[in-house]
Amino acid sequence: MTTATEARSGKSHRDENFPVASHLIHPRHRGAILAFYNYVRAGDDVADHTELSPERKIDLLDGLADALTGAGPDDPEAAPLRAALAARGLPPRHALELLDAFRMDARKTRYADWDELIHYCRYSAMPVGRFLLDVHGEDPAVTWGPSDAICAALQIINHLQDCAKDYRRNDRVYLPLDTLARHGASVEDLAAERASPALRAVIAALAHRTLGLLEEGRALPDLIDDTRLSLEIAAIHRLAVVLAQGLTTRDPLSEPVHHGKAAFALIALQGVVACLARRPFRRRVLALRGARP
């Protein structure tokens, strides 16, 4: 019987569309972040596995949850994160919420509207940013709101880039059904080699809404006390804006939308430089938002 370890895809943090614990992050935090990533990656691989039944996926995800909380047998996928959380006195809440998203993936393949998609992002994406902020000791009252907006945007960008692959591999469609209907597109359009004009209109509309989320989160780097984390978030935010802008005009079914290595580095650097230039004025940003300096 397949275990969570055996279900691993082989994908690592280096294969993600956005930086994960890059060297901008202080070394004292990178181990905990990578332990979190690897645990979550194991759960995501279970949810995406094409040969496991929904029931078996749920069983494996429940086992990962119990191993993390100590309610069940140890699991090698959970042990590093459990140790990292214990060392920092952090609860397992954020990791467990991500497992809730993977349980949704095991059971659910369609999303009716934008609100339903954002509800999914509440569990599949927002806990990642919240964990990152908690590891750095940032103030949740100040940072969680804009972080949630950015994380939801990152998730939706991934959905848009991978919309054809998700449909073909797992019969999973994150494009809201009401948006498809509004533009005269259908789920079956995702099977084509090239997006129809209607599907292109759907992707563009969702990309524009995603740019709105990124605007909501734009101030986050200036609200973060830890300079290195601030630069990491600024780089991610800039990469996301450029990707979302590209999705307003490009076809993810027939052409690559993700950044090449050179473009990735240049765009990230632009975000870092802009953040550094603003850093001396962050007290003004905090004052305007009513946050502590």
Side-chain angles (χ1 to χ4, degrees):
M1 187 175 291
T2 303
T3 66
T5 298
E6 291 168 344
R8 292 296 297 265
S9 65
K11 187 175 183 180
S12 80
H13 67 282
R14 295 183 181 87
D15 302 313
E16 298 293 340
N17 291 325
F18 300 100
V20 177
S22 80
H23 289 288
L24 287 171
I25 297 293
H26 196 285
R28 70 174 176 270
H29 298 309
R30 293 187 76 240
I33 295 167
L34 290 174
F36 183 85
Y37 172 84
N38 288 327
Y39 176 80
V40 170
R41 178 78 262 158
D44 202 4
D45 286 344
V46 165
D48 287 346
H49 203 286
T50 58
E51 296 178 10
L52 295 174
S53 69
E55 295 75 21
R56 182 56 183 159
K57 290 178 181 181
I58 299 299
D59 287 344
L60 289 174
L61 293 169
D62 289 347
L64 285 172
D66 289 345
L68 186 62
T69 61
D74 290 340
D75 189 295
E77 304 298 339
L81 179 57
R82 187 176 178 187
L85 294 175
R88 291 169 177 263
L90 293 173
R93 170 186 173 184
H94 302 310
L96 296 177
E97 287 185 338
L98 282 154
L99 295 187
D100 285 338
F102 303 145
R103 292 186 184 95
M104 290 186 216
D105 282 334
R107 301 184 177 108
K108 185 177 177 69
T109 60
R110 302 290 187 272
Y111 291 82
D113 52 32
W114 179 262
D115 288 343
E116 203 169 279
L117 180 59
I118 293 296
H119 174 75
Y120 172 76
C121 293
R122 165 63 187 85
Y123 293 93
S124 68
M126 296 179 192
V128 177
R130 294 180 179 190
F131 176 79
L132 191 60
L133 293 163
D134 285 0
V135 163
H136 285 80
E138 299 292 333
D139 185 352
V142 174
T143 58
W144 276 19
S147 172
D148 287 352
I150 290 176
C151 289
L154 300 182
Q155 179 72 89
I156 294 168
I157 288 169
N158 285 338
H159 290 332
L160 295 177
Q161 287 188 113
D162 297 336
C163 58
K165 182 176 73 175
D166 288 336
Y167 176 63
R168 294 165 186 166
R169 176 173 172 168
N170 294 102
D171 187 32
R172 200 178 287 156
V173 179
Y174 295 102
L175 309 184
L177 297 180
D178 67 340
T179 308
L180 287 166
R182 188 179 307 123
H183 291 278
S186 70
V187 165
E188 291 72 23
D189 291 349
L190 293 166
E193 293 184 4
R194 188 177 300 273
S196 65
L199 183 56
R200 289 282 295 273
V202 169
I203 293 167
L206 295 172
H208 279 295
R209 295 198 73 168
T210 302
L211 285 167
L213 290 172
L214 290 168
E215 180 61 25
E216 287 181 38
R218 182 170 58 89
L220 179 61
D222 302 327
L223 302 174
I224 291 173
D225 290 333
D226 186 284
T227 298
R228 295 177 70 141
L229 176 61
S230 172
L231 299 179
E232 175 99 338
I233 300 300
I236 290 170
H237 184 270
R238 182 60 190 155
L239 288 162
V241 168
V242 174
L243 275 174
Q245 289 172 338
L247 283 161
T248 64
T249 59
R250 301 182 71 179
D251 173 14
L253 272 65
S254 64
E255 58 183 321
V257 180
H258 58 273
H259 306 301
K261 287 185 179 180
F264 184 99
L266 179 60
I267 295 164
L269 180 62
Q270 290 171 346
V272 168
V273 170
C275 183
L276 281 172
R278 295 192 308 270
R279 198 73 183 162
F281 308 102
R282 68 182 295 267
R283 288 180 177 272
R284 188 180 306 169
V285 176
L286 292 169
L288 288 171
R289 297 180 69 96
R292 58 175 175 79

